[in-house]
Structures are given as C-alpha cells and as structure tokens.
Amino acid sequence: MVFNQRKTSSRSVSAAKPSEPDPYAVPGFEGYGKHCFAGRVADKYLRKQGASVATLKNPKWVTECPDTIAAAVLDWAVEHGATTYCHWFQPLASSGFRHGQSGQVYNMMVKFDHKTNDLKFDFDGGDLVKGETDGSSYPNGGLRATHTAGGYLAIDTSSPIFLRGDTIFIPSIFVSYYGMALDEKTPLLRANDAMSAHGSRLLKCLGYESAEKFGLKANIGLEQEIFLIPRDQYFRRPDLQYTGRTVMGKMPPRDQEMCDHYMGPLSHSTPALACMKEIQHECFKMGIPLRTRHREVAPNQYEFAPEYGVNSVQIDQNLLVMQLIEEIAAKHGLAALLQEKPFEGINGSGKHNNWSISTGNDIPLFLPGPISKATGNEMAFPIIMAAVVAAIDEHGDLMRMAIASPGNDFRLGCMEAPPAIISTYLGEDMTAYLEAFKEGKTDPYVPNKKDLDIGVKQVVPFKVPAEDRNRTSPFPYGGARFEFRAVGSSQNVSMVNTVLSAMCAEKFAEFADRIEAGEDAIEIAREALKKHWKVIFNGNGYDVKNQEMLTENGVWRIDSGVEAIHRLSDEKNIKFFEDMKVMGKDETLAREECLLDHYTGTVEIEAGAFIDMVNQHVIPSVKKAGVGPLKALENAVQTLKSALKEIHDTEGAYEKAKLARVLRLDTMPELRKVCDAAEEVVPAELWTLATYKELLFLDAHT
C-alpha cells in the first residue's frame, strides 16, 4: 500500500466541517464512538490519506508513515471542533483521590505566523508520536533527580486516541532519559508482551501456533463502584473534600440493614439517574462501552460496568470514566466519591477486575471447549489451568501488593470484600476435574448444568450453572475468566494487571522450557497441581477457622497494606520482574517507595483534616451546646499532632508508612469515637458538619 508521506499541510481554521451522520448507528445512540479514532471512524479519515484502519494495527506506522496518520487525525479532530492535542499518561502512584489520575500537557494544533499574524492548523507525525516534558514533580521513587529530570512521552499504539471538548488525547507511556518507566503503563505493556511470548510458546507445545495469529492478549472488564451524595452537604465536610472519606460521623438510625438500595429502581425524582445517563452518553461518544448501571448495596452507592476489552485499553478507559464521573456529578448537584471506604459502618466500594487470556483471534484459554478444539488437545486446558494455579500460589504476595491501596485497609475481610488471603475458588466441578487430572485421569472437562423448576406454569424450567458464586474469594473462577474481587474502587489497576500478566508469563515460560527440553506436559501440570493445590479453596473465606487453616497451610496472607507493599523489595520479586523483563531492580524499588509515600501522605492529609474539623467544628459546637466530651476532644488533637510529628521525624518510606498505618487503623478510630459521642449529644442545629443522615439517603430527602 502506498502512503501519502507529505508533511501535514497547514489548513485554514475556518475549514472545519460538520461530521456526517452515521447511518449504521443504533437509534438513540447516533454518534457512538465518533470521538474515538478507531474502527470505521478512523478508516474514513485514513482513506483520504491513502491508508486505512488496518494501518493502525501495525505499530511500525510510527516510523513508516507518521505524517500520514497525523494528517488523518488532524482532519478528524478539526471536523469535531478540536484545536488542541495532549499526550495523556499515567504517572507513578496515580491512584486514590487524585482527580483524573492522569498526566496531561496541552498544546495547540496551530502554527503562529508572526509576519502576518495569521493562525493555521499544524500537526505532524512528530507531534503525534512523541512528546517531552519536565514533570520533575511527579513521584519517581529515586529514578531521577532534579538535574536529570527529562521525561519523554511516546504514543501507545495499542490504545486509541480519543477526543473530549477541544482536545484530542493521545495515550502515551512516560519514561526517563535512560528509559526508566516513570509511569504505570510501561510495565503493564512489558508484562503483556512477556505473557504473549511465553504463552505462545506453551500453546505451540500443546498444538497451536498462536504466534502466527497475533499472539495472546489479556482481557479485563472493570466494575466501578461509586457513591453519589448531595454536593451542598459535601462542602460541609472538609474530610470528604480533602481525602474522599469521612474520618468521623455517627451512624444514623438507618443504614443498609434492609438492603433496600441494592438493585433498586434508579429514581427519576433524584439527580442520580440523569447524572449516570450523561456519564454513559459521554463515554459512548468516546467509544467506551459503559453498558451497565445500577444501584449498589450501600445507601447512595452505584455501579457502572463496561464490556470486556484488552487490559491496557480498558485501564485507559476506566481512568477516563472515573474523571467523567467526578466532573459530571458536579453538573447535577452531586459529589462523586470513588474512595474505597467513604463511610464507616456501611459497605465501601470495589472495582472487580474480571480477567482472562485469549489468543489474538479471540480463542479463550480458560474455557475447555474452544482451546481443546484449537489445539486438537483435550489436555491443553488442564495444563493451562495448572500453570495459573501455580502462579497464584507463588505470587500471591504480589497480588496482595497490587491491591494495597490505603482505602482497602478498611475493606478486605470486612464482609464486603474478600480477606487478605490470596486463594482461588474454582467451584466443585472444576476442582473435582483438576483433582482427577492430578491423580492420573484424562477425561475431558464437562461442566454440569442444573435444572431449576420453580413449580409454576408461567415460568418455564431453566438451566443454571452447577456452581454458585463465592463472594468471599479474592480470585474466583467464573467460567472463561477469573474475577479479582479484592481490587479497590479508586485504584488505577495497571499494577494489578501487570502482576497478573507477568506471573502467568513466568509459569508459561517454565512449562514451555521443560516441554521443549523433552519433559511430558501432562506430568509437568500434575506436578504443579500437587505442589500448589493448597491455594484452591471453595469454602467460606470469612470464617475465621478457614482463614486460620489457609494461613497454616502456607497460603499468602498479608493483613497490612504497608507490609504488602514492602514485598516489592523482596529478592524473590525483584528477580521475578527482572526475569520477565517487566521492571529492573531500580524500577521495582521505586514503585515500593512511591506506594509507601502515597500511603503515608494519605494518612497525613486525613489526620490534618481530622485536627481541623475538631478545632473548627466539633469543639465550637460542644462549647456552644454546653455538653459533650470537651477535654477528650482537646486531648485528641494533641494525640494526632504528636503522631504526625513522629512520622515527620522518622526517616525512610517504610518506617514512616508503618507509623502511618498505626495512626490510621488504631489511633484515629479511637479518637473518632470521641467525636461521634459529641455529635450524639450536641443539638442538631448547633452541629455544623454534615451528618451521615444528610450525606446518605439521597432518595429520602431530595
């Protein structure tokens, strides 16, 4: 194919044309994806330049025809009112309450003619594929100093360019002058490549040439839980504004005992439904298939879920969804809370990471039928499952590290999220099948189905899976996928999926190495299952006796998020990431430092908000009312100040984070009781902070 390699011509600002109607759109969804440079939308503009959407599938376009692609992107952008471009990336530690969780630098797509004072559109291949920024204030964990602070942005060709407002956003990676990963995405892409390369080797050993069909890919679907609360009440809570969670607040007479919010109707009498519809609409325009919306179990809690997609693209889109949620909520008089535990005493929010692996042409590896057919080998499925089970057992510490967000300290094991013990639920059928395989049988896996007949003629008997759901497992198998249920709602899940891809890459490589050296694939898988069987657990993960049993059996259990993060500097894990070419030692250690600093910084902000609220609200209310634990409140402030000073006076990210965790999980909850006791006795008209009653139950007082 011949490409137009001319430099992008400058075009008049007045040349913008309205976009053509899309005759293929579903009624009511006209324009779906028009703000995403992919598929038919991209093809229309690429063909004008002598290329096609197929060109984008080969990353070599970055060097072979960048000006051609840039010309098409400029044409698309201008027709949709864009005048600006932005290399959009994920800085290190971009998680928690940081709005948008992305790094952005905006540049106009224009050339200034200083002789005529005219403006002309100007955007070429060099502008598209690479950017540069200082970015020295981003967390870097010691990967660079201020005198070596260059940061370089390069387009990620696997994730489509999108448009919002007057700006096109170019998903990019962010690295130092020496190639060190300063972002969350670069290790993810490296891990995906390792998984694809070694997984393709294993599949070749099992009878299928996946390398010739675009290798392997990791797919995810991210369930995003949030709270929507009245914005006027949000502004009466400094803790919510600064940290995204309440550090004090007495429970009202009603919370979630009735579970009446769960899957309830989205009421037209509140702004929540209109807000959610607008969020979906904005996502649709950018090609984000945000398909599901519903109420969750806690009052004022809601959930969105998209369709499945490649993990790197889904992560980009989820970061954008979180930004849209916060911004659009404000337009509807609401505040969106994405923190894992905004309110004590009711459920917090997660982001279930539904994860699978498939070939490049969409043959799923975790479904026995398709992979057996593709390989012509009915033993391919149990061999692959054995590799995954072994990876979970060996690298459960890294899986726990990946979900060690500050907010998750309040959720894991608290009857709303799985415990901090990394086991996997396979269900009785799958477990029995793998056990039989482990002991020498080679029968194919045939999952059972159960007939349900409820005994009324109006409802025809129907089939359900033989397996129930186990919501107490952090990593249950759900048929074709695993669901990493323990992920926190505010997280950027790049690290989560970096670990999943890398740990499978390692096991796929180990199996392939041994098979290529002449060992029997079935015996290798049986050996792995016998060694790692302890990580399979189908029972009640909330039961303390079961937790003790799993711990005694040696299943990874790390209750402290700080200790989980500290696992990054263990020699086992440094070597693991180096061997898989995902991160070098310095990059791994930098991430530990950044995550620990993030944890400590979060606690410092929360404690500071606590002090301000006690001094500026709680104590004045108690004094004005003439009732309440005044002396205890004054002592609480001094306790917090002393704890903060101790953290500030301590050296080392790990040592600081350990102190911060004690302050957050031991000291602050005790001091909170004093504040909540004051709220209980101070008359409502004298209490100046928004209460749980006013923050929750949107339906009850709107």
Side-chain angles (χ1 to χ4, degrees):
M1 181 178 289
V2 178
F3 299 108
N4 181 357
Q5 284 285 8
R6 64 178 175 78
K7 174 154 175 94
T8 305
S9 62
S10 299
R11 53 179 289 175
S12 169
V13 174
S14 62
K17 300 178 182 178
S19 58
E20 297 176 5
D22 182 359
Y24 303 104
V26 175
F29 295 94
E30 289 85 356
Y32 175 83
K34 69 178 181 180
H35 290 171
C36 177
F37 196 74
R40 288 187 299 105
V41 170
D43 196 58
K44 168 187 170 183
Y45 297 94
L46 288 164
R47 289 191 180 278
K48 293 179 183 179
Q49 305 298 327
S52 74
V53 72
T55 311
L56 298 179
K57 295 180 180 180
N58 186 347
K60 291 182 179 179
W61 70 257
V62 169
T63 55
E64 293 177 352
C65 56
D67 287 339
T68 299
I69 306 303
V73 170
L74 177 63
D75 195 14
W76 165 72
V78 171
E79 286 198 8
H80 290 84
T83 59
T84 305
Y85 71 95
C86 169
H87 286 97
W88 184 84
F89 62 101
Q90 304 171 25
L92 268 177
S94 60
S95 201
F97 49 79
R98 184 181 190 274
H99 175 65
Q101 300 188 7
S102 56
Q104 305 180 13
V105 179
Y106 298 79
N107 293 286
M108 301 293 290
M109 303 169 73
V110 295
K111 179 168 65 177
F112 298 84
D113 190 323
H114 296 290
K115 293 181 179 179
T116 65
N117 210 30
D118 289 338
L119 293 179
K120 294 182 179 179
F121 280 109
D122 184 50
F123 179 72
D124 64 16
D127 298 322
L128 175 63
V129 303
K130 187 173 73 70
E132 181 180 348
T133 183
D134 171 29
S136 58
S137 294
Y138 284 118
N140 63 76
L143 288 179
R144 59 182 179 175
T146 304
H147 67 287
T148 56
Y152 297 88
L153 299 152
I155 187 171
D156 169 18
T157 59
S158 70
S159 190
I161 299 166
F162 60 91
L163 181 153
R164 189 179 180 213
D166 70 345
T167 305
I168 62 165
F169 294 87
I170 305 164
S172 304
I173 56 96
F174 185 48
V175 297
S176 73
Y177 181 79
Y178 299 100
M180 294 285 192
L182 301 172
D183 63 343
E184 299 284 345
K185 179 180 270 193
T186 298
L188 172 68
L189 296 177
R190 292 171 179 166
N192 286 345
D193 281 354
M195 183 274 293
S196 178
H198 295 300
S200 295
R201 287 176 55 214
L202 177 58
L203 284 187
K204 183 176 182 180
C205 294
L206 300 177
Y208 184 75
E209 285 281 2
S210 64
E212 297 177 359
K213 297 179 174 64
F214 313 109
L216 303 183
K217 57 185 179 180
N219 305 299
I220 59 172
L222 298 169
E223 304 171 35
Q224 180 69 57
E225 295 175 348
I226 61 170
F227 282 82
L228 294 173
I229 64 172
R231 197 164 188 82
D232 56 345
Q233 303 302 329
Y234 167 80
F235 285 122
R236 295 177 59 212
R237 292 295 304 217
D239 49 358
L240 285 178
Q241 293 177 62
Y242 293 133
T243 74
R245 80 173 185 97
T246 56
V247 298
M248 62 182 72
K250 184 181 75 69
M251 284 299 295
R254 172 190 170 194
D255 50 69
Q256 66 184 49
E257 298 99 339
M258 309 300 292
C259 290
D260 53 337
H261 197 271
Y262 192 48
M263 303 292 182
L266 285 162
S267 173
H268 287 260
S269 67
T270 77
L273 175 57
C275 173
M276 297 184 80
K277 288 171 67 175
E278 184 173 349
I279 291 165
Q280 282 184 296
H281 178 68
E282 288 300 311
C283 287
F284 289 159
K285 288 194 294 185
M286 288 180 280
I288 301 174
L290 202 62
R291 184 170 183 174
T292 301
R293 65 174 188 249
H294 64 85
R295 292 180 187 248
E296 256 299 332
V297 67
N300 285 10
Q301 190 181 34
Y302 301 87
E303 180 178 306
F304 288 107
E307 290 190 340
Y308 243 41
V310 175
N311 62 5
S312 59
V313 177
Q314 283 279 301
I315 292 167
D316 283 352
Q317 292 181 345
N318 179 253
L319 294 180
L320 186 56
V321 167
M322 289 196 286
Q323 180 179 339
L324 287 168
I325 287 170
E326 290 188 290
E327 294 176 2
I328 292 172
K331 293 171 58 178
H332 292 268
L334 300 169
L337 307 178
L338 279 74
Q339 288 297 89
E340 283 79 7
K341 193 71 172 179
F343 303 101
E344 187 181 64
I346 64 173
N347 275 22
S349 298
K351 176 153 50 193
H352 303 163
N353 191 102
N354 295 282
W355 168 81
S356 70
I357 299 175
S358 68
T359 64
N361 55 339
D362 297 317
I363 300 169
L365 267 63
F366 301 155
L367 268 183
I371 196 63
S372 297
K373 181 179 179 181
T375 58
N377 179 359
E378 289 187 338
M379 293 298 99
F381 174 70
I383 291 167
I384 291 167
M385 289 293 286
V388 174
V389 167
I392 297 167
D393 188 33
E394 289 190 7
H395 296 296
D397 59 334
L398 287 176
M399 293 174 68
R400 173 67 178 94
M401 174 278 300
I403 56 170
S405 66
N408 251 359
D409 270 350
F410 296 111
R411 290 180 63 248
L412 296 179
C414 295
M415 301 305 288
E416 59 184 271
I421 305 171
I422 304 300
S423 63
T424 182
Y425 164 89
L426 300 183
E428 299 304 325
D429 275 17
M430 178 61 69
T431 303
Y433 167 71
L434 289 179
E435 188 163 26
F437 170 81
K438 173 169 65 80
E439 300 305 323
K441 295 183 179 179
T442 56
D443 296 331
Y445 174 62
V446 181
N448 292 313
K449 293 282 187 179
K450 186 169 74 171
D451 291 317
L452 274 187
D453 184 349
I454 66 169
V456 297
K457 63 182 179 181
Q458 292 88 348
V459 179
V460 177
F462 57 97
K463 292 185 181 295
V464 297
E467 305 299 345
D468 203 347
R469 293 188 177 191
N470 188 336
R471 295 170 64 86
T472 72
S473 174
F475 203 65
Y477 174 72
R481 62 173 172 79
F482 287 83
E483 181 183 15
F484 204 170
R485 293 185 52 80
V487 181
S489 56
S490 72
Q491 287 192 261
N492 174 338
V493 296
S494 289
M495 179 58 84
V496 169
N497 288 282
T498 296
V499 169
L500 294 179
S501 284
M503 71 187 202
C504 287
E506 184 192 53
K507 278 299 155 191
F508 291 162
E510 178 188 323
F511 279 32
D513 287 345
R514 294 174 64 182
I515 296 168
E516 290 167 356
E519 292 189 53
D520 181 78
I522 293 176
E523 290 306 315
I524 294 169
R526 285 175 175 154
E527 176 189 314
L529 286 173
K530 290 175 182 178
K531 181 178 179 181
H532 302 287
W533 193 258
K534 65 180 182 291
V535 82
I536 300 171
F537 175 66
N538 296 332
N540 180 4
Y542 289 152
D543 186 283
V544 174
K545 291 183 179 179
N546 287 334
Q547 294 178 4
E548 292 172 351
M549 177 270 294
L550 289 168
T551 306
E552 290 170 2
N553 287 346
V555 176
W556 278 107
R557 175 177 185 168
I558 311 174
D559 291 329
S560 164
V562 171
E563 297 303 326
I565 293 168
H566 192 45
R567 291 296 303 167
L568 276 167
S569 56
D570 186 86
E571 286 301 320
K572 167 185 92 75
N573 295 326
I574 290 172
K575 183 177 185 302
F576 162 67
F577 284 123
E578 285 182 328
D579 289 348
M580 291 299 102
K581 296 181 171 54
V582 172
M583 292 187 290
K585 180 177 181 178
D586 289 344
E587 291 173 309
T588 303
L589 294 176
R591 274 149 183 81
E592 175 173 322
E593 183 174 326
C594 287
L595 288 169
L596 292 172
D597 285 346
H598 178 80
Y599 188 100
T600 302
T602 298
V603 176
E604 289 175 330
I605 295 169
E606 291 176 351
F610 199 121
I611 291 170
D612 284 352
M613 291 169 71
V614 172
N615 282 335
Q616 298 170 13
H617 291 273
V618 182
I619 287 178
S621 292
V622 166
K623 287 181 176 179
K624 195 167 186 178
V627 294
L630 181 59
K631 185 62 177 175
L633 289 166
E634 292 170 342
N635 291 339
V637 170
Q638 293 308 313
T639 299
L640 287 170
K641 287 183 176 180
S642 297
L644 284 174
K645 184 178 185 305
E646 185 180 8
I647 293 172
H648 294 158
D649 291 345
T650 299
E651 297 294 329
Y654 176 49
E655 297 302 323
K656 283 178 177 286
K658 286 194 292 184
L659 292 175
R661 184 176 185 273
V662 172
L663 172 58
R664 190 172 200 240
L665 298 185
D666 295 338
T667 308
M668 286 175 64
E670 288 302 310
L671 302 181
R672 176 188 185 127
K673 293 176 183 177
V674 179
C675 297
D676 294 353
E679 182 182 344
E680 188 170 8
V681 297
V682 171
E685 65 271 16
L686 299 180
W687 192 259
T688 57
L689 294 168
T691 66
Y692 273 26
K693 171 182 173 294
E694 293 160 328
L695 292 166
L696 298 167
F697 314 111
L698 190 63
D699 286 352
H701 56 77
T702 297

Coordinates of all heavy atoms in Angstrom, one line a residue, residues 29-30 189 285 577 592 642:
F29 N -28.5 6.0 19.7 CA -27.0 6.0 20.0 C -26.2 6.6 18.9 O -25.1 6.2 18.6 CB -26.6 4.6 20.4 CG -27.2 4.1 21.6 CD1 -28.3 3.3 21.6 CD2 -26.6 4.4 22.9 CE1 -28.9 2.8 22.7 CE2 -27.2 3.9 24.0 CZ -28.3 3.1 24.0
E30 N -26.9 7.5 18.1 CA -26.1 8.1 17.0 C -24.9 8.7 17.5 O -24.8 9.4 18.5 CB -27.0 9.2 16.3 CG -28.2 8.6 15.5 CD -29.4 8.3 16.4 OE1 -29.3 8.6 17.6 OE2 -30.4 7.9 15.8
L189 N 2.6 -2.9 29.7 CA 2.8 -3.3 28.3 C 3.9 -4.4 28.2 O 3.9 -5.3 27.4 CB 3.1 -2.1 27.5 CG 2.0 -1.1 27.4 CD1 2.5 0.1 26.6 CD2 0.7 -1.7 26.7
K285 N -19.8 8.4 23.3 CA -19.2 9.2 22.2 C -17.7 8.9 22.0 O -17.2 9.0 20.9 CB -19.4 10.7 22.6 CG -20.8 11.2 22.4 CD -20.9 12.7 22.4 CE -20.5 13.3 23.7 NZ -20.7 14.8 23.7
F577 N 10.5 -9.8 38.4 CA 10.3 -8.8 37.5 C 11.4 -8.6 36.5 O 11.2 -8.3 35.3 CB 10.0 -7.4 38.2 CG 8.6 -7.4 38.8 CD1 8.4 -7.1 40.1 CD2 7.5 -7.5 38.0 CE1 7.2 -7.0 40.7 CE2 6.2 -7.4 38.6 CZ 6.0 -7.2 39.9
E592 N 7.9 0.7 45.1 CA 7.7 0.5 46.6 C 7.7 1.8 47.3 O 6.9 2.2 48.1 CB 8.7 -0.5 47.2 CG 8.5 -0.6 48.7 CD 9.4 -1.6 49.4 OE1 9.5 -2.7 48.8 OE2 9.8 -1.4 50.5
S642 N 1.0 14.9 67.9 CA 2.2 14.1 68.3 C 2.5 13.0 67.3 O 3.6 12.7 67.0 CB 2.0 13.6 69.7 OG 1.8 14.6 70.7

